[in-house]
Amino acid sequence: MQPPPPPPPGRSQASSLTPTAATTGVAVSARGLRHSYAGTDGDLVVLHDLDLDLPAGGYAALTGPSGAGKSTLLSVLGGLEPVQGGAIEVGGRSLGTLRGDGLAEYRRETVGFVFQHYGLVPVLSAQENVELALALSGTPREKRRVRALSLLGDVGLGARASHRPTALSGGERQRVAIARAIANKPRLLLADEPTGNLDEVAAAQVLDLLEALRRDLGCTLLIVTHNHTVADRAERRLHLDGGRWAA
Amino acid sequence: MSWSDALRLALESATRRFGRTLLTVLAVTLASALLVALATIVVTANSRVINQVSKGGPITAIRVAAARAEPGQLATDDFRLGGPLRLDDSYVDRIAAFRGVDAVAPVLDLDVLAVPPQVGGAPHSIFERMVGVDLRHPEHLPMTVLAGRLPAAGLSNETAVTLGYLDRLGLDADNPEEVLGQYVSMAHAQVTRAASGELDYRGRWVAAEVVGVVAQEAAPGMFIVPIEQTRADRDWALRGVGDGDRQPLPESPYSGLIVVADTLGDVGEVREAIDELGYSTSAPEQLIANVQRYLRVVDIVLGSIGLIALVIAALGVTNAMLAQVRERRREIGVLKAIGARDRDVMLVFLLEAGFVGAVGGIAGTALGIATAALVGAVVNGYLSQQGLEGVRLAVPISIVLAGIGGAALLALVAGTVPARRAARLPAREAVGGA
């Protein structure tokens, strides 16, 4: 069965995606970014003194072969890992000093993640998955129920709110994941191969949705992808190879 | 993340691998059931044994005789009787005021001539002892009702009899109800001296209905009556002269006391205080202490078996939770990616472990009590065949709470390592790890 098309970019005043001052995108700036992982033969350096500048509300695609360091760069920018070397500022806030709960707060308040594998909790319904992000930010139960349903409606899944992920198609799952990612009005939206597991039609729908969200929310969007068609839609294309920028 | 949200997520997660969760709960259930069943059986058996040792009365009861204590009295549980020593209300009050004394019940037993119903091979008359006790507080008396009830306090037309009475009448001790409702005529003698100098014996006859059959250790005697009746008989006898050793005057207002100490630990001290007043005492304190020592060993052995079972179940919980953490690495990473803190993740896993433990504890406690009840029924069947009194299952609330709370707590402890491991997983697991 073909998934329903995502809603058109233009939305009513009541929409959850109505731009607000709080959802203005953030500028990302990295200088001399280094990152390595401990290996049996010593440290494996995956990012070599990278510099990066993304304007607030910008839209970039990050490409490169496997092992180039794309996911690591995304992890460091998204606060999934502490900064090991160099400096990163997101919206004027330095990530280098954040650890533990500070990083968790950054991920909760500033960043929205979309994963290739969707990352939905299988025992929760679509609505509950969206509510989970709101629960973590301390949103009251009734308020988050209303917002979760509204967000699912915005991504065209209002009628599937009570379905568990296993009852949804790949494209639908990814749209639930997107609804969850934007639940806390992130200012930086990071997507790791968001169309990697989707067929062409579903991939286009998801990409349309991400771009519409970026326009509506004004958030900064960085997409990691292997797909040239996806990368070509971004305002800016960044290519990593061996942990270094490549032409 | 709030506790309620964490609990909800934990419950949802617990049902994810339903079969594995069920097996883990089952392990906790069986271990908890074993512990509760053993504890219930031990508590019941202990109270039964102590009850037997104390002859059905309070285990802290001390018997006091209206007689002097011979040297070495306190070294033995039994009476070491010397000569008669008057025991009256002033001593009752003094003993009742001793530290560690809960209650004092006076006893007055007298010789009695009884004429039972003339049926079958019953003797025409019986010379026996009639034991007068304070029946307003039967809980202080070493007495067990085998059939019927105790006589009402203050009435002179009711009596309870012992199994010895049934034996004297040639009746079946297995069917004590047989004597209930029968009447026995009883009289205590008054000895007077006629003008000729000869002794004259007169009886004050009372017809009493047999209302109960008891086993008792208050004083030797076949007939248990309200103490008011033996007091009246004593007053009657004192109006006479007595006849020396054969029918002496009951000089002492009481022939003995049952002194109930607050705790077993007080028994020794109270006995010493009574001994200082000069009275001979008897209490099964050393016997009870020895029995308790053996019972304690049994407690420890059976408790250890139950605890070992619980520890094995706890290891099962740990193993199942570690498997959960291994399988949910990416999900844990995603939770962190959307903002969960380490302690949020830890809370979810701890609550999941606690849920497994609590469910297992509740089911195990219910199963344990049911098992103990089944064992009790089998034991009662056997005791009944042997003509013995059955046991009454004792399930203290502490066992129920320990069964449920202990299992939940142990599961929580067992879940600590997996929960910490989950909490420490890096958020980068969300994108597939390093």
Side-chain angles (χ1 to χ4, degrees):
Chain A
M1 193 170 88
Q2 196 74 342
R11 290 178 176 82
S12 69
Q13 287 294 314
S15 167
S16 300
L17 306 180
T18 304
T20 65
T23 56
T24 305
V26 285
V28 177
S29 168
R31 291 288 174 272
L33 192 61
R34 294 183 303 280
H35 206 86
S36 61
Y37 293 114
T40 49
D41 301 326
D43 285 356
L44 174 67
V45 180
V46 287
L47 298 178
H48 296 270
D49 297 319
L50 289 184
D51 292 344
L52 172 67
D53 284 296
L54 285 177
Y59 173 18
L62 182 58
T63 60
S66 295
K70 305 185 296 296
S71 294
T72 300
L73 178 57
L74 202 72
S75 296
V76 176
L77 291 177
L80 299 183
E81 299 208 46
V83 178
Q84 291 180 353
I88 304 180
E89 280 194 2
V90 176
R93 183 181 189 183
S94 172
L95 297 194
T97 55
L98 296 181
R99 293 285 184 278
D101 285 358
L103 273 178
E105 185 200 349
Y106 166 73
R107 295 191 294 264
R108 199 166 52 239
E109 308 292 340
T110 307
V111 186
F113 274 102
V114 179
F115 304 102
Q116 180 180 1
H117 55 75
Y118 323 122
L120 300 176
V121 181
V123 291
L124 301 181
S125 67
Q127 180 189 334
E128 289 166 338
N129 266 285
V130 178
E131 281 192 45
L132 185 57
L134 293 162
L136 287 168
S137 64
T139 308
R141 191 179 297 272
E142 184 54 28
K143 204 170 171 184
R144 69 187 185 223
R145 190 187 68 81
V146 171
R147 179 157 170 77
L149 287 173
S150 172
L151 285 166
L152 286 171
D154 287 337
V155 299
L157 290 174
R160 314 295 301 269
S162 61
H163 289 70
R164 287 193 172 185
T166 47
L168 301 174
S169 70
E172 288 171 329
R173 290 183 204 185
Q174 196 59 295
R175 278 187 276 150
V176 174
I178 290 169
R180 182 183 64 187
I182 61 170
N184 286 319
K185 299 176 182 171
R187 301 167 73 189
L188 174 62
L189 194 53
L190 302 174
D192 187 18
E193 298 277 8
T195 59
N197 285 344
L198 304 180
D199 62 35
E200 213 168 296
V201 175
Q205 287 174 341
V206 163
L207 214 56
D208 287 346
L209 180 60
L210 284 171
E211 289 172 356
L213 288 172
R214 179 218 157 207
R215 274 196 305 276
D216 288 355
L217 298 174
C219 60
T220 308
L221 176 61
L222 179 61
I223 296 180
V224 168
T225 183
H226 279 106
N227 188 317
H228 291 288
T229 311
V230 173
D232 286 343
R233 291 174 61 156
E235 290 171 351
R236 187 176 167 200
R237 186 168 172 166
L238 305 165
H239 189 73
L240 261 184
D241 196 356
R244 293 185 171 85
W245 294 125
Chain B
M1 182 184 273
S2 69
W3 277 75
S4 60
D5 289 324
L7 180 63
R8 203 153 149 259
L9 191 56
L11 296 185
E12 296 283 2
S13 299
T15 56
R16 178 181 321 210
R17 296 276 188 182
F18 186 74
R20 182 161 62 200
T21 303
L22 189 66
L23 284 175
T24 312
V25 168
L26 195 60
V28 177
T29 299
L30 290 176
S32 181
L34 180 62
L35 192 65
V36 168
L38 289 176
T40 305
I41 290 168
V42 163
V43 168
T44 303
N46 284 5
S47 79
R48 163 77 176 184
V49 170
I50 296 295
N51 193 44
Q52 289 294 307
V53 171
S54 61
K55 309 294 184 190
I59 61 168
T60 58
I62 302 163
R63 289 191 299 155
V64 181
R68 294 187 188 286
E70 289 284 290
Q73 169 66 88
L74 295 178
T76 172
D77 286 356
D78 301 320
F79 284 121
R80 299 191 75 162
L81 298 171
L85 185 62
R86 183 181 170 83
L87 186 56
D88 57 24
D89 281 326
S90 67
Y91 283 99
V92 170
D93 293 341
R94 285 179 67 178
I95 291 171
F98 286 158
R99 196 160 62 89
V101 171
D102 177 43
V104 178
V107 178
L108 175 59
D109 61 284
L110 298 171
D111 288 328
V112 68
L113 174 65
V115 179
Q118 298 303 298
V119 289
H124 181 264
S125 60
I126 304 168
F127 283 102
E128 245 300 326
R129 300 285 288 179
M130 173 170 59
V131 181
V133 288
D134 184 358
L135 290 168
R136 288 170 303 173
H137 298 289
E139 70 277 12
H140 297 148
L141 303 170
M143 204 169 283
T144 304
V145 176
L146 304 177
R149 60 175 173 81
L150 289 172
L155 290 183
S156 60
N157 59 355
E158 290 187 350
T159 184
V161 296
T162 63
L163 289 174
Y165 173 80
L166 271 67
D167 187 46
R168 286 290 291 274
L169 265 59
L171 298 175
D172 182 9
D174 291 338
N175 189 19
E177 291 82 3
E178 202 177 338
V179 296
L180 301 182
Q182 293 182 355
Y183 278 82
V184 185
S185 296
M186 297 185 290
H188 182 64
Q190 182 190 65
V191 185
T192 54
R193 191 174 294 277
S196 61
E198 289 187 357
L199 294 177
D200 185 24
Y201 293 85
R202 290 191 299 167
R204 177 177 167 272
W205 288 94
V206 171
E209 181 187 356
V210 177
V211 295
V213 179
V214 300
Q216 65 91 17
E217 292 287 320
M222 281 184 185
F223 301 97
I224 309 301
V225 295
I227 196 165
E228 292 83 356
Q229 184 179 335
T230 48
R231 273 185 185 139
D233 282 337
R234 174 174 173 268
D235 292 343
W236 160 255
L238 287 175
R239 282 184 221 127
V241 295
D243 68 349
D245 292 342
R246 191 163 159 239
Q247 186 74 43
L249 285 174
E251 302 283 357
S252 177
Y254 300 121
S255 55
L257 303 174
I258 305 297
V259 177
V260 183
D262 285 330
T263 66
L264 270 177
D266 292 322
V267 170
E269 195 180 326
V270 172
R271 271 190 91 187
E272 276 179 32
I274 297 171
D275 189 70
E276 282 175 18
L277 292 177
Y279 292 102
S280 182
T281 57
S282 162
E285 56 176 326
Q286 291 181 33
L287 177 59
I288 288 176
N290 285 332
V291 168
Q292 282 186 320
R293 267 196 287 276
Y294 286 114
L295 291 177
R296 183 82 188 127
V297 172
V298 174
D299 287 356
I300 291 169
V301 171
L302 294 183
S304 300
I305 292 171
L307 275 179
I308 289 169
L310 264 187
V311 168
I312 292 171
L315 290 175
V317 172
T318 304
N319 189 41
M321 296 293 294
L322 282 173
Q324 288 261 44
V325 174
R326 273 195 302 276
E327 290 169 6
R328 289 161 60 186
R329 289 175 75 94
R330 178 181 280 176
E331 184 185 316
I332 294 163
V334 170
L335 264 180
K336 289 191 161 188
I338 62 175
R341 298 160 300 184
D342 289 1
R343 59 177 175 273
D344 294 326
V345 175
M346 185 156 180
L347 183 61
V348 170
F349 276 83
L350 279 179
L351 288 176
E352 199 172 324
F355 167 73
V356 167
V359 171
I362 291 168
T365 300
L367 185 63
I369 292 171
T371 305
L374 188 66
V375 172
V378 172
V379 169
N380 277 345
Y382 172 75
L383 290 174
S384 176
Q385 279 178 0
Q386 301 298 309
L388 297 170
E389 188 190 356
V391 294
R392 196 176 300 163
L393 196 67
V395 188
I397 188 71
S398 56
I399 288 183
V400 175
L401 294 178
I404 298 170
L409 190 66
L410 204 70
L412 274 178
V413 172
T416 302
V417 169
R420 282 170 66 92
R421 188 168 290 184
R424 287 178 176 178
L425 279 178
R428 70 164 179 270
E429 291 288 342
V431 288

